[in-house]
Amino acid sequence: MEDVRPDIQIVIARADNGVIGRDGALPWHLPADLRRFKRLTMAKPMIMGRKTFEGLPGLLPGRRHIVVTRDAAWRAAGAEPVADVAVALAAIAGQPASVIGGAEIAALFDPVATRWELTEVHIQAEGDTSLPYPDPARWTPVAREDHQAEGEHPAFSFVTLERL
């Protein structure tokens, strides 16, 4: 019997220097990235770490919020706490899902993901959370859409990577 891998995309915005967060939030504001994030994650379970969940502006409509946490007692309204990758995968039951952060959760799901949906923010951001670029020995770019800086919004690129 063929092992069917669920469609798991990692959806992350990352500065050129690897920064993905500062004080529990994004260190930039890119309306186009927020629209893309909504489009990519809508109607799918979202898997995230506890800090990412707590950094959201609230529950995001139209999506399940599966939160990977080591704290077995942790609870929050609208969150489905799970202990690890295996329990998260069991919770999605083969459905397509989006892993939305943070860095540790993205690294944990990298081996089972089918795709990265990156927003490369072309700045050297200051922050307290970083994520290395996905390993080019395992991931290859299949789509790229570049956008110029506009006003206070930095230049950025939407990049889709697929597993080799």
Side-chain angles (χ1 to χ4, degrees):
M1 181 189 283
E2 184 180 326
D3 179 32
V4 178
R5 178 187 298 250
D7 181 21
I8 297 176
Q9 63 183 358
I10 300 174
V11 183
I12 298 277
R14 180 185 178 279
D16 288 340
N17 62 347
V19 168
I20 64 169
R22 181 178 60 220
D23 299 327
L26 295 174
W28 51 76
H29 178 69
L30 286 173
D33 178 51
L34 297 174
R35 288 189 298 273
R36 180 175 188 250
F37 176 86
K38 183 176 182 179
R39 179 179 52 78
L40 289 169
T41 62
M42 185 55 73
K44 293 184 179 99
M46 292 186 311
I47 301 169
M48 67 202 82
R50 179 190 50 78
K51 289 179 188 173
T52 297
F53 177 81
E54 291 172 350
L56 294 175
L59 293 176
L60 303 181
R63 292 156 272 196
R64 285 173 62 196
H65 295 67
I66 299 171
V67 180
V68 180
T69 178
R70 288 183 284 269
D71 182 352
W74 182 85
R75 299 286 180 271
E80 299 174 41
V82 299
D84 56 32
V85 172
V87 180
L89 292 174
I92 64 170
Q95 302 174 66
S98 299
V99 174
I100 65 165
E104 185 177 341
I105 300 303
L108 287 172
F109 280 87
D110 180 83
V112 297
T114 52
R115 182 173 64 260
W116 280 78
E117 294 289 354
L118 280 178
T119 299
E120 296 176 348
V121 184
H122 300 304
I123 59 173
Q124 299 298 307
E126 291 187 25
D128 52 26
T129 307
S130 296
L131 178 71
Y133 197 83
D135 183 355
R138 295 190 357 223
W139 297 96
T140 189
V142 296
R144 180 180 192 91
E145 185 180 310
D146 297 317
H147 299 268
Q148 298 301 313
E150 251 182 57
E152 74 274 6
H153 306 303
F156 61 96
S157 300
F158 293 144
V159 180
T160 301
L161 304 170
E162 289 184 354
R163 184 174 295 285
L164 289 172

